[in-house]
Amino acid sequence: MTQNSDGPTIAPLTVLAVDDERPALDELAYLLRAQEAVGDILTASDATTALRVIKDRLGRSAAIDAVFLDINMPGLDGLELAGVLAAFADPPAVVFVTAHDDRAVAAFDLGAVDYLLKPLREERLAESVRRIVALKQQHERAGGGRPEPDADEVIPVELGGVTTLVPRSAVAWVEADGDYARLHTATGSHLVRIPISALESRWEQAGFLRVHRSYLVSLQLVTGIRSVGNGTVVCLRAVGDGPAVELPVSRRHTRELKDRLVRAPRQSWTGR
């Protein structure tokens, strides 16, 4: 049994590793086997076989907790398989393991738990396993249903070879940076390979609102809005040791911002 300090004891994870290259598959299975939270490890050399294994296990009421899969495979690729799994009533957690760093956005849109780059590092794999354990604990607390939509999502951020997990609740505002997004938190900013549009749709139900083509803000931190010249700015309270922030609001987002703040009784705003 596995126990997280923040949750109940759970059974070891049953995971499926999928890769069409035998050496890579063997290495992935070896590294997974070293994880204390992992129990049974199944393998498949292509996505079609993986799907058959998953459905067979479901038919025997022995569901797979997580799938670690490559993206580029002959026939059905990893992204396509993840799309099929996302339609399941109770899908397994999906972690992509790939040599390509340009598919993270698509993986993120499919609800991937993590996105690991080859060659695999044991400490990064361990972080993915910890996230899956946390999701399984939440799943069991919810009585076997899907995780609550307001569960605090975490975003893995790579910096100088070190991975930091940034929880969504720590993000005050997000700034567009080309095809990337910069997450602003009390401890600094973090550049991630995710477009702001993806975060906008994914975090809308968690209280984030797009106020400008370049900015997405946490409504919980809004202290007011005010007019500046011919434009409008939204005021965010200081977080940690950082300063209070004022960000521009585009004309087409002003009404929605006011409406959202009015509907949130804990928020107050004034327009001058």
Side-chain angles (χ1 to χ4, degrees):
M1 305 294 281
T2 299
Q3 184 166 10
N4 183 289
S5 59
D6 298 324
T9 300
I10 65 171
L13 301 173
T14 297
V15 302
L16 172 64
V18 188
D19 199 308
D20 63 311
E21 298 182 358
R22 174 53 62 177
L25 183 60
D26 289 344
E27 179 187 23
L28 177 56
Y30 172 80
L31 292 174
L32 285 168
R33 202 168 287 117
Q35 299 298 316
E36 182 180 356
V38 175
D40 293 336
I41 301 172
L42 308 173
T43 61
S45 58
D46 60 77
T48 302
T49 300
L51 187 58
R52 186 163 57 246
V53 170
I54 294 168
K55 289 182 175 179
D56 177 68
R57 296 276 300 193
L58 284 174
R60 294 188 283 115
S61 298
I64 289 172
D65 296 303
V67 181
F68 289 75
L69 72 158
D70 191 16
I71 290 182
N72 291 340
M73 294 183 289
L76 193 71
D77 68 20
L79 290 172
E80 291 168 332
L81 174 59
V84 173
L85 297 180
F88 283 23
D90 188 12
V94 172
V95 174
F96 287 102
V97 183
T98 177
H100 305 278
D101 65 358
D102 60 347
R103 310 298 294 277
V105 171
F108 186 84
D109 286 341
L110 287 168
V113 171
D114 210 344
Y115 190 92
L116 306 181
L117 292 177
K118 298 176 181 178
L120 272 177
R121 303 201 313 271
E122 186 173 356
E123 61 272 19
R124 272 298 278 121
L125 182 64
E127 289 176 3
S128 295
V129 171
R130 283 194 293 271
R131 294 184 66 184
I132 294 166
V133 169
L135 286 172
K136 185 175 182 181
Q137 289 173 331
Q138 181 191 359
H139 177 91
E140 293 182 354
R141 286 195 297 268
R146 285 178 179 267
E148 299 93 343
D150 60 349
D152 196 7
E153 181 181 338
V154 293
I155 302 295
V157 176
E158 298 277 354
L159 181 62
V162 177
T163 301
T164 301
L165 298 181
V166 178
R168 182 187 59 217
S169 60
V171 178
W173 51 288
V174 181
E175 180 181 8
D177 192 341
D179 292 332
Y180 293 72
R182 187 172 294 278
L183 311 180
H184 291 267
T185 71
T187 58
S189 64
H190 309 275
L191 191 66
V192 295
R193 188 188 286 270
I194 302 169
I196 195 171
S197 58
L199 292 177
E200 175 188 10
S201 60
R202 195 175 181 97
W203 289 2
E204 179 182 6
Q205 298 303 314
F208 280 78
L209 181 69
R210 187 79 168 267
V211 298
H212 187 277
R213 63 181 298 180
S214 298
Y215 300 108
L216 177 70
V217 303
S218 171
L219 293 175
Q220 292 184 354
L221 300 179
V222 173
T223 59
I225 60 176
R226 66 187 184 90
S227 298
V228 177
N230 294 325
T232 302
V233 298
V234 59
C235 309
L236 304 182
R237 66 177 172 82
V239 178
D241 296 329
V245 176
E246 292 187 351
L247 300 173
V249 180
S250 65
R251 288 181 181 273
R252 72 186 187 92
H253 289 102
T254 301
R255 175 54 64 87
E256 183 180 4
L257 173 61
K258 290 182 178 181
D259 288 346
R260 287 287 294 275
L261 293 178
V262 167
R263 293 199 303 267
R266 288 179 297 175
Q267 302 296 336
S268 64
W269 58 270
T270 57
R272 298 194 299 272

